[in-house]
């Protein structure tokens, strides 16, 4: 509901040129000293294990220094993150055997690195991508909702992205693929720390906004001309008539729209181009003898079949599994490329999904595997994702890691590896904890036993080790069996009270601590508003039209600002 | 319902000594020549692949002959089958990492052998055990229901068990553990082809029939003294007051009850003794220089915790996972033992479960993993089980096999390996197909693409490759979306019609062929009745009392025979 309301609200009215001015040059308000502020729960663990962690960290620092000395630079980092995939769909060939497809390269990655069995994401695309880029739960940066065209808002310029951190310490940084963090100029990837960017501001829209999408029963019309004439349709103010699919830009440089509007035959060119640029950026960095950080976030899965394929790649045949195989092929090419460049032993590669399967009216074949629920749910099926890390000679091969990790931890861990810890802001909560010890020392070395799972702005569930509390359905006073033991009941089929009465007060305290910290370090309420899709040097007339209201604003009894500042409903009972 | 009715019906009335006499010496009516009669569906495949299979078989026969020449005997076979475990709970360490336990020895077996990802069982214990022993769907031998104490019936003497086949060609055969194929004398394991037997006629009752069981909230009273006084309880005829837990015997020898009645502290002695005898039987066979076949079917999982354990073996802590770890420890000991005896390269070892998890009011921690449903269900969760095979030097290591296999196939495959194919009866349908090629040649070499899934006497579903049809809920005429594509929807969450309209007529034909064959080779209607728990040389007075009706039978207007011959309701709508 909120996303739909939000979309209707934003377009045409609030995106008009009258919106408050935003500065691209907002100074990043953080100190370069002091300790990182973590979520409150972290301190409970630190109080118990801090001394041990400090000793481990000294060893890790020595090891990283030795590696830097050996290679003459910091390690390269490549992060690949795609959509909507349940735990087990990649990296566990036994499960693939019963699903009728195979990702040999990523399975081999698992054999040669770490298969994370408990990587938590946020519940949906925008949220996880914001969490990854900022090291903070999406709710803290206001990125608590999935962005759809046209939002006229985006991630705030004051958020300190991982690319900014790494850029500041000498990394060459690049983003290719699905960005999904807003459509305002400050939110563009190359305005958020990336030296080079080639990105879709939203999601897989390029694969939906073609006539062929209707064949797959996914999209019956994003745009007015997809519908037949409807004589009852009397509001012509909100449906966009122009659109932008892919942007490209360089840090401090101009923004360009890339390529022609996608068609059923060319929409995959975006993916191909993103992959081509990924390999080219590696080459360029190697040539410059500079460490690189590349986030390649595939637009695959698309919502319609790849038009280049005469027959399916898999017995499974559905768009997710077909997409996984295509991503897997690129992962194979990537490792071949790293080997050819001689940098495999100085490059950390992580592949993962952004949230659970798209089980709620998503494409066919998007189903639960090990966990209950999918994208959008606070059950494990929504927020546990496949994740594999490989780093030749540094990460021990063939590890299955059962520890809790959160996507925000990659922010802090990449900062540690890149020597960019000092750049992490000290004026806000950073949810990501440094998991370098887990990466280097393996199973049992996580510095996290908790996850707070949000839906929109509301805490829906808390995780503590094997236990989980469903806050969304909790009742005051006596429990409504909202406790789960995830070893015993990983599918959260049977909420319990009697067997877990001892965990109730712990979860109460966890929540109290968490909320105390939220009060102290308040969340940004919403994505930062702004005019949509501005600053495009080769702007098409249709794009400019997106920012022009078809309604005479003078005739309305409220202003776009008033609309834009009125808070959206919270989740659940607040709807 | 049927099991409860059956239990009530059988005890005290039909188990009286007036029952029809049964001969242990019924001649086994099968011919030693001619072709094996398979289920009708098999011939559709044979017509397409028979020539290829014949060529493969010639190679296989040569390979087996070479092995026999090398070892001077046929290969040994050890079959271990326990209860109620979903696919993935053993053999996939990634899944164990999220469940909080580990079976390192069985996982290593998977690394060194075949991890079958699509082994089908029957829906419940008795059925799968009957299918394994006879190579026939349980419905064909009348063993279509789970036996509970006291049934006064059992598997028929005319069924030709795998032990009979192998015994006849020179194998030493032994059965240890949970038998669950009846409580009549002809059904005892040592009267069904096993040279040595040590077995519980029913299931895990020894672990339930102790006071401590109540603590686990599993059993609130199998026996009258577990209940308080109930003044409304006026029928004293059906509740047994005596019981037999474990029997032992040798082929042609006497039957003895073993051990004292189990208590909360000693019930696991049955398991320990079964394991001890397994290893001792290996020693004896090696000494005698004769090939052996051992079926060790653990009574673990018990329904109460192992009293020997001061603390849990697993973080998971539930009885299933604890039991799996105990079984795993024995599997480790077994391989060490085989190595020590120098026979690992002439011994096929298979470990598997008998049906899906006990999700319907079973012990805590029995939950769905990859599939929907559990024990008793016709969904994949009920009938797909973990299964791993290892045979050093013969089975290629590290194989994941996605082919369909059915538990009955082990009958035929063991017969092939033991040179006992001629002993397989030719007067009835043998559902098991020879899967030696799959074992020796690996993935893609199954000779089966179908499974017929029965609940009680009724066909509930048919499987054909990736497709499944739910017959139980099928509607005449237009489909009620009862079709599933198991690659796309392994959890059978969304029955389909449109996308699978092309499979309807195929399933119609599959069923027609199957039923044609059932008409030609009729099923045995029921387990063969007989007095319960007779022929025990050291019979206790309480046991004899089981066969004495507390009701004066002369005062009843019907006879035990009439009761016994009245058919039970069929499943589903016939209840």
């Amino acid at each position: 509901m909120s996303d739909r309301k939000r979309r209707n609200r934003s377009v045409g009215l609030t995106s008009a040129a009258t919106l408050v001015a935003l500065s691209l040059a907002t100074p990043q308000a953080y100190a370069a000293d002091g300790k990182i502020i973590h979520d409150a729960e972290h301190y409970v663990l630190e109080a118990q294990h801090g001394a041990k962690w400090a000793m481990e960290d000294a060893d890790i620092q020595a090891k990283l220094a030795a590696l830097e000395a050996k290679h003459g630079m910091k390690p390269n980092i490549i992060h690949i993150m795609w959509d909507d995939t349940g735990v087990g769909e990649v990296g566990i060939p036994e499960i693939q055997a019963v699903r009728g497809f195979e990702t040999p390269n990523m399975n081999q990655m698992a054999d040669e690195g770490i298969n994370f069995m408990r990587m938590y994401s946020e519940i949906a695309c925008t949220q996880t991508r914001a969490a990854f880029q900022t090291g903070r739960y999406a709710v803290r940066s206001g990125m608590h909702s999935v962005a759809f065209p046209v939002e006229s808002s985006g991630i705030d310029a004051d958020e300190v992205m991982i690319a900014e951190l790494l850029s500041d310490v000498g990394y060459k940084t690049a983003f290719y693929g699905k960005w999904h963090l807003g459509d305002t100029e400050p939110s563009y990837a190359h305005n958020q720390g990336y030296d080079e960017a080639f990105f879709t501001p939203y999601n897989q829209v390029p694969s939906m906004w073609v006539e062929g999408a209707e064949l797959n029963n996914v999209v019956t019309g994003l745009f007015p001309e997809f519908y037949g004439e409807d004589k009852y349709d009397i509001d012509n103010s909100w449906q966009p008539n122009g659109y932008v699919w892919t942007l490209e830009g360089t840090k401090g440089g101009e923004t360009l729209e890339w390529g022609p509007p996608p068609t059923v035959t060319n929409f995959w060119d975006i993916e191909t181009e993103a992959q081509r640029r990924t390999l080219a950026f590696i080459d360029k960095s190697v040539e410059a003898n500079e460490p690189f950080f590349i986030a390649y976030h595939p637009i695959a899965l698309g919502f319609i079949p790849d038009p280049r394929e005469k027959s399916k790649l898999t017995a499974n045949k559905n768009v997710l599994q077909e997409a996984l195989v295509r991503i897997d092929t690129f992962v194979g090419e990537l490792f071949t490329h790293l080997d050819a460049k001689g940098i495999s032993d100085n490059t950390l590669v992580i592949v993962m999904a952004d949230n659970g399967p798209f089980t709620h009216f998503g494409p066919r074949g998007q189903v639960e595997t090990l966990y209950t629920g999918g994208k959008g749910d606070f059950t494990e099926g929504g927020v546990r994702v496949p994740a594999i890390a490989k780093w030749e000679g540094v990460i021990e091969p063939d590890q299955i890691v059962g520890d809790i990790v959160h996507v925000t931890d990659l922010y802090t861990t990449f900062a540690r590896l890149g020597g960019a810890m000092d750049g992490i802001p000290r004026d806000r909560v950073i949810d990501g904890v440094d998991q370098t010890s887990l990466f280097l020392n393996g199973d049992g070395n996580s510095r996290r036993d908790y996850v707070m799972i949000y839906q929109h702005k509301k805490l829906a569930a808390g995780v503590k080790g094997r236990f989980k509390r469903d806050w969304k359905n909790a009742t005051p006073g006596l429990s409504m069996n909202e406790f789960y033991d995830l070893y015993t009941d990983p599918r959260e089929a049977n909420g319990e009270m009697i067997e877990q009465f001892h965990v109730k007060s712990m979860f109460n305290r966890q929540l109290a601590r968490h909320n105390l910290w939220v009060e102290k370090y308040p969340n940004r309420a919403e994505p930062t508003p702004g005019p949509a899709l501005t600053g495009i040097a080769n702007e098409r007339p249709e794009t400019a039209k997106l920012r022009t209201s078809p309604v005479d604003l003078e005739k309305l009894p409220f202003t776009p600002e008033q609309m834009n500042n009125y808070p959206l409903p919270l989740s659940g009972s607040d709807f």
Side-chain angles (χ1 to χ4, degrees), chain A:
Chain A
M1 271 302 273
S2 75
D3 291 319
R4 177 171 297 275
K5 284 190 185 169
R6 177 151 196 82
R7 182 172 67 181
N8 298 356
R9 187 183 63 121
S10 301
V11 176
L13 295 176
T14 60
S15 64
T18 52
L19 284 166
V20 290
L22 286 160
S23 165
L24 283 174
T26 305
Q28 286 160 7
Y30 58 86
D33 53 55
K35 293 188 82 172
I36 293 168
I37 300 158
H38 284 300
D39 195 5
E41 195 72 6
H42 177 77
Y43 298 98
V44 179
L45 298 181
E46 195 180 34
Q48 298 173 72
H49 306 285
K52 176 172 154 275
W53 292 350
M55 280 170 54
E56 284 171 8
D57 284 348
D59 287 347
I60 286 166
Q61 213 47 51
K63 182 159 190 183
L64 292 178
L67 279 169
E68 187 171 354
K70 176 181 167 192
H71 296 289
M73 66 171 75
K74 301 280 188 193
N76 307 304
I77 300 170
I78 300 174
H79 183 256
I80 299 178
M81 183 164 73
W82 64 86
D83 280 73
D84 303 355
T85 304
V87 173
E89 293 276 308
V90 302
I92 306 184
E94 291 88 347
I95 293 178
Q96 293 183 343
V98 300
R99 299 298 309 279
F101 74 104
E102 206 179 353
T103 57
N105 295 301
M106 293 197 278
N107 296 352
Q108 188 180 335
M109 264 189 88
D111 285 345
E112 298 172 352
I114 295 177
N115 198 350
F116 289 103
M117 291 312 298
R118 210 169 167 189
M119 171 67 88
Y120 282 88
S121 66
E122 301 256 351
I123 62 164
C125 306
T126 295
Q127 292 93 312
T128 294
R129 289 155 202 274
F132 167 74
Q133 298 284 356
T134 64
R136 290 148 53 78
Y137 291 148
V139 71
R140 301 201 199 269
S141 61
M143 301 300 287
H144 41 63
S145 299
V146 176
F148 289 133
V150 177
E151 289 282 3
S152 304
S153 69
I155 195 156
D156 198 90
D158 188 44
E159 293 294 327
V160 180
M161 312 291 262
I162 181 63
E164 295 179 71
L165 293 183
L166 293 172
S167 211
D168 284 352
V169 295
Y171 274 74
K172 294 183 80 74
T173 59
F175 183 91
Y176 302 123
K178 174 178 163 178
W179 180 243
H180 211 177
L181 291 173
D183 50 19
T184 56
E185 209 170 335
S187 70
Y188 294 168
H190 53 291
N191 293 332
Q192 289 283 354
Y194 288 96
D195 294 322
E196 294 194 9
F198 172 83
F199 63 103
T200 64
Y202 308 107
N203 49 15
Q204 283 79 2
V205 171
S207 76
M208 295 192 279
W209 174 221
V210 296
E211 283 82 357
E214 285 192 297
L215 282 176
N216 209 36
N217 205 24
V218 172
V219 181
T220 49
L222 277 176
F223 291 74
E225 59 267 38
F226 264 52
Y227 292 97
E229 184 70 26
D230 179 1
K231 64 184 174 185
Y232 308 111
D233 185 1
I234 59 174
D235 183 356
N236 192 33
S237 74
W238 61 271
Q239 187 82 300
N241 286 287
Y243 195 56
V244 165
W245 291 270
T246 316
L247 295 175
E248 60 181 326
T250 52
K251 192 185 284 178
E254 63 182 2
T255 306
L256 293 165
E257 187 174 8
W258 181 88
T263 68
V264 74
T265 53
N266 78 2
F267 76 89
W268 276 104
D269 293 352
I270 300 168
E271 192 81 297
T272 310
E273 179 66 11
Q275 294 178 353
R276 189 191 68 74
R277 291 190 187 210
T278 296
L279 300 183
F281 196 79
I282 292 171
D283 295 349
K284 194 161 62 174
S285 305
V286 168
E287 210 159 300
N289 204 32
E290 286 172 313
F292 60 82
F293 165 61
I294 303 174
Y296 162 47
H297 292 182
I299 63 162
L301 63 116
F303 289 93
I304 61 171
D306 188 331
R308 295 169 303 183
E309 285 158 21
K310 293 281 178 261
S311 69
K312 298 295 178 194
L313 302 171
T314 71
N316 181 288
K317 89 176 174 47
N318 294 291
V319 289
L320 170 62
Q321 286 73 21
E322 292 279 305
L324 291 176
V325 169
R326 283 193 299 267
I327 292 168
D328 186 69
T329 301
F330 175 73
V331 169
E333 290 164 11
L334 175 66
F335 279 110
T336 303
H337 200 79
L338 294 175
D339 285 346
K341 294 284 165 190
I343 56 172
S344 292
D345 59 351
N346 200 38
T347 305
L348 167 64
V349 181
I350 294 181
V351 301
M352 65 184 290
D354 66 346
N355 46 247
F358 196 169
T359 52
H360 303 295
F361 291 90
R364 194 169 180 274
Q366 288 264 28
V367 297
E368 295 177 1
T369 305
L370 285 167
Y371 299 107
T372 298
K375 181 175 184 161
D377 294 321
F378 67 85
T379 48
E380 300 289 288
V383 292
R384 277 169 83 158
V385 292
I388 305 170
K390 181 184 159 184
W391 184 353
E392 193 183 299
V394 179
I395 289 179
E396 289 292 316
D398 203 18
Q399 294 186 70
I400 296 167
V401 161
D403 302 74
I404 297 179
V405 199
H406 190 267
V407 62
T408 55
D409 296 347
L410 298 179
Y411 178 90
T412 325
T413 306
F414 291 175
R416 163 73 65 195
L417 295 175
M421 293 295 269
D422 289 348
I424 294 177
R426 263 65 173 177
D427 63 347
R428 63 195 78 180
V429 175
I430 300 296
D431 293 290
V433 298
D434 177 9
Q435 296 283 26
T436 311
S437 178
L438 181 62
F439 277 70
L440 269 54
N441 301 323
D443 198 38
N445 282 291
S446 176
R447 296 185 179 177
R448 170 192 290 282
D449 75 337
Y450 62 94
V451 177
M452 311 304 276
I453 303 170
Y454 275 84
Q455 285 180 312
H456 191 216
K457 297 183 183 181
K458 273 202 161 174
L459 188 74
V463 171
K464 179 85 170 173
R466 67 193 288 159
F467 300 108
K468 183 167 182 176
R469 184 168 186 174
D470 168 357
W471 283 111
K472 187 173 185 177
N473 300 301
T475 46
L478 187 63
S479 150
M480 201 183 69
N481 289 359
E482 70 263 22
F483 301 99
Y484 295 89
D485 174 335
L486 295 173
Y487 284 155
T488 293
D489 184 18
R491 293 189 59 81
E492 296 157 278
N494 300 294
E496 293 188 80
M497 179 174 57
I498 301 292
E499 296 238 20
Q500 292 177 59
F501 72 92
H502 65 297
V503 308
K504 181 180 177 183
S505 63
M506 175 276 287
F507 277 115
N508 285 354
R509 289 193 299 275
Q510 183 189 61
L511 179 61
R513 287 192 287 261
H514 177 74
N515 284 341
L516 192 71
W517 240 228
V518 172
E519 273 183 34
K520 194 167 175 185
Y521 303 99
N523 297 335
R524 193 179 303 276
E526 300 288 341
T528 302
L533 299 164
T534 55
I536 301 170
N538 58 348
E539 181 179 79
R540 288 177 288 127
E542 304 94 292
T543 307
K545 209 173 156 197
L546 283 174
R547 295 187 299 277
T548 313
S549 173
V551 176
D552 181 351
L553 295 173
E554 297 298 320
K555 292 185 177 169
L556 295 177
F558 34 74
T559 66
E561 289 80 1
Q562 279 178 309
M563 289 295 289
N564 214 58
N565 293 328
Y566 195 82
L568 283 169
L570 296 178
S571 60
S573 57
D574 291 330
F575 275 104

